[in-house]
Amino acid sequence: MSLGGVYVLPIFDSKPQPKEINLENCLGKTVLVIGGGGREHAIVDALSRSPQVSKIYCAPGNAGIGEQAFNVPLKDTDVEGLKAFALEHGVDLTVVGPEASLAAGIVDAFRAAGLKIFGHTKAATAIESSKEFAKKLMLKYGIPTASYRSFDNYDEALAYVAGRPFPAVIKYDGLAAGKGVVIAADLEEARKALADMLLDEAFGKGKVVIEDYLTGPEFSFLCFVDGERVYPMPLSQDHKRAFDGDKGPNTGGMGAYTGLPFISPGDRDFALREIMCKAASAMVAEGYPLSGVLYGGLMKTPQGIKVIEFNARFGDPETEVVLPLLESDIFDIFDAVATGVPAKELRWTEGVTLGVVLASKGYPGKYDKGCPIGGLDAIGGRVYHMGTAFKDGNLVTSGGRVLMVVSGGKDLADAREMVYAEVAKVRCDNLFYRKDIAHCAFEK
Ligand code: AMP
Ligand code: GLY
């Protein structure tokens, strides 16, 4: 679709509209989305385009989500509260965003109460929550990944690391809110990481996985999975470091894009067949069928594509660039996976998306909250709220990552030009963003 010489993807052509309650809509479905970040805003946004959905609740939601859904002040791990809410409010389908809700057993509890829910059982969530479980699964079923050993004894782990080349990759065996992986450059760094993970009560005194250090570009492969059925989404790439040139500390993700220049159709087919489909079948064979999103954090190494990690949920900020490309009705796929029946084939818009995260100055370290935000009404692309709130009627920052602006285009140069023009319209004194999202597409 072309507007004034600028290519605009169909769904970027119109502003998101709140659902109108008309007679036809009243017969539609009520959906509850769990979570309150940019990922959940993108899920709510996609659901709001469904003609079958008449009412969307989001728990806890955020200020931006509140324009497209009814926010519900319940924590994403308050399984009993969420279950009572869904039962009381006639929720037809619940869609889970965060891994913490899955690990808290929300899917098991909802199913036991006869509620339909999109997400994995607590047992199946082990593919993300336990590094050792995921590694054993990959080894057993021949899914390509770095070779590894696991330890729960500090001295043995240290001796093992000391006898191997550096950098050493040390992973905590459990959910660690993104802080569980240390790439230790030397023995001293390894010693500290192992002491934190194996000797320190604060971390949980768990187990560690120590694996080979791999090199190559990383990318994310998100698939809807229902048992053996795998429905792939477009590939995307996150930017984890805080500053341009992939410098600075690791963050939750500072931007993402689709249309990866370094992945061939053959690479994608390999990743789908040998990694994502194999993992889905392996989980069925092990007695833990998946019923939500499987996220492959993959790396294109000189020896081929390998798994860095699996997640049991949509990625953030990948979801914000992937879901705007979905032309099919997202309710159908959520409903089919939650019910365990085959879904219609998914249609995706041609073209690419590029999204830039605006974060509070100081993030991922200390930062201020409550800074006023303006200018969003003038933005032409999609604006997903990651950490915003209303204070005295004004929109303010309320988190580290605050907003994500996403534009579509026929290619990445197009999308990049558009997105940075839109980002410049955001008025807030306390935000920063990376200027080089999708840089590897432009490097000679
Ligand atoms: P994870 O939480 O497992 O995705 O790891 C976080 C980050 O650490 C990844 O995105 C990679 O950049 C890096 N990483 C993890 N495992 C390896 C590995 N085996 N080799 C090189 N880098 C790794
Ligand atoms: N973008 C990284 C993640 O969602 O884990």
Side-chain angles (χ1 to χ4, degrees):
M1 188 169 298
S2 185
L3 282 184
V6 183
Y7 178 92
V8 180
L9 294 178
I11 46 98
F12 286 94
D13 205 4
S14 59
K15 281 256 167 218
Q17 295 296 326
K19 281 260 162 215
E20 282 192 18
I21 304 295
N22 59 32
L23 209 54
E24 208 179 322
N25 272 348
C26 285
L27 303 172
K29 304 292 185 191
T30 297
V31 181
L32 168 64
V33 176
I34 312 285
R39 164 179 61 198
E40 288 76 20
H41 196 175
I43 294 170
V44 165
D45 185 36
L47 279 165
S48 74
R49 293 196 291 275
S50 166
Q52 300 178 73
V53 175
S54 57
K55 196 166 199 179
I56 307 173
Y57 293 109
C58 189
N62 64 35
I65 291 174
E67 292 182 4
Q68 289 176 277
F70 297 94
N71 288 336
V72 180
L74 288 173
K75 271 183 68 175
D76 58 17
T77 48
D78 179 3
V79 173
E80 286 306 309
L82 291 163
K83 188 174 79 180
F85 180 88
L87 288 168
E88 268 165 38
H89 291 78
V91 169
D92 296 295
L93 173 70
T94 298
V95 178
V96 185
E99 67 272 28
S101 314
L102 299 169
I106 194 167
V107 171
D108 312 70
F110 271 49
R111 284 189 188 161
L115 290 162
K116 204 186 272 188
I117 185 162
F118 174 90
H120 309 296
T121 60
K122 184 175 177 173
T125 302
I127 198 165
E128 168 166 1
S129 58
S130 167
K131 301 274 185 201
E132 197 189 16
F133 174 91
K135 285 303 242 186
K136 275 190 177 155
L137 189 85
M138 288 187 263
L139 194 67
K140 181 167 172 187
Y141 292 89
I143 298 169
T145 189
S147 49
Y148 81 103
R149 278 191 54 187
S150 54
F151 297 88
D152 55 14
N153 179 286
Y154 171 79
D155 293 321
E156 285 171 20
L158 190 64
Y160 178 72
V161 168
R164 288 167 39 93
F166 284 92
V169 181
I170 303 173
K171 300 186 174 185
Y172 182 70
D173 183 42
L175 288 177
K179 296 185 181 73
V181 177
V182 172
I183 313 285
D186 53 39
L187 190 59
E188 209 29 58
E189 279 184 34
R191 196 192 306 273
K192 182 173 179 326
L194 290 172
D196 281 350
M197 295 181 194
L198 294 175
L199 302 177
D200 183 359
E201 297 281 355
F203 232 113
K205 265 183 130 180
K207 256 190 206 164
V208 295
V209 162
I210 299 176
E211 65 179 37
D212 287 350
Y213 178 74
L214 304 177
T215 55
E218 289 178 59
F219 61 102
S220 307
F221 199 171
L222 276 58
C223 296
F224 297 101
V225 181
D226 167 25
E228 303 257 0
R229 290 187 275 265
V230 176
Y231 308 88
M233 303 185 220
L235 300 176
S236 56
Q237 191 183 39
D238 183 9
H239 293 57
K240 291 203 167 102
R241 300 298 194 103
F243 308 129
D244 286 0
D246 293 323
K247 303 255 164 49
N250 261 321
T251 70
M254 294 299 292
Y257 66 101
T258 62
L260 309 187
F262 56 89
I263 298 293
S264 68
D267 289 336
R268 187 224 178 240
D269 289 350
F270 174 87
L272 179 58
R273 204 180 50 243
E274 297 298 322
I275 295 176
M276 305 308 288
C277 291
K278 260 193 184 172
S281 301
M283 290 297 277
V284 171
E286 292 294 305
Y288 308 117
L290 295 169
S291 53
V293 170
L294 178 63
Y295 164 136
L298 311 182
M299 186 185 268
K300 184 171 174 172
T301 77
Q303 290 78 39
I305 295 177
K306 297 194 179 184
V307 178
I308 294 289
E309 64 165 347
F310 281 123
N311 291 321
R313 52 170 176 82
F314 281 107
D316 193 352
E318 291 94 329
T319 307
E320 293 92 309
V321 292
V322 167
L323 289 188
L325 293 170
L326 182 61
E327 271 179 17
S328 311
D329 184 340
I330 200 165
F331 180 81
D332 283 336
I333 179 78
F334 283 150
D335 192 55
V337 171
T339 313
V341 298
K344 294 180 205 145
E345 197 187 333
L346 298 179
R347 279 175 290 102
W348 299 92
T349 308
E350 275 184 40
V352 302
T353 45
L354 196 156
V356 177
V357 171
L358 292 93
S360 297
K361 285 179 187 164
Y363 171 79
K366 272 180 66 171
Y367 55 84
D368 290 335
K369 292 183 185 177
C371 303
I373 306 169
L376 300 192
D377 283 345
I379 293 184
R382 283 287 193 271
V383 182
Y384 295 120
H385 291 234
M386 305 178 102
T388 62
F390 281 113
K391 194 169 136 200
D392 306 326
N394 297 314
L395 187 68
V396 297
T397 62
S398 71
R401 293 187 298 169
V402 175
L403 295 168
M404 183 165 182
V405 180
V406 180
S407 291
K410 66 177 183 309
D411 57 31
L412 286 170
D414 204 22
R416 180 173 67 161
E417 192 181 323
M418 223 161 344
V419 83
Y420 282 110
E422 302 301 340
V423 165
K425 296 176 188 167
V426 178
R427 293 195 314 272
C428 181
D429 292 338
N430 198 42
L431 296 180
F432 78 100
Y433 58 90
R434 279 183 61 163
K435 317 267 185 315
D436 67 343
I437 300 304
H439 59 85
C440 84
F442 303 102
E443 282 153 4
K444 291 281 172 297

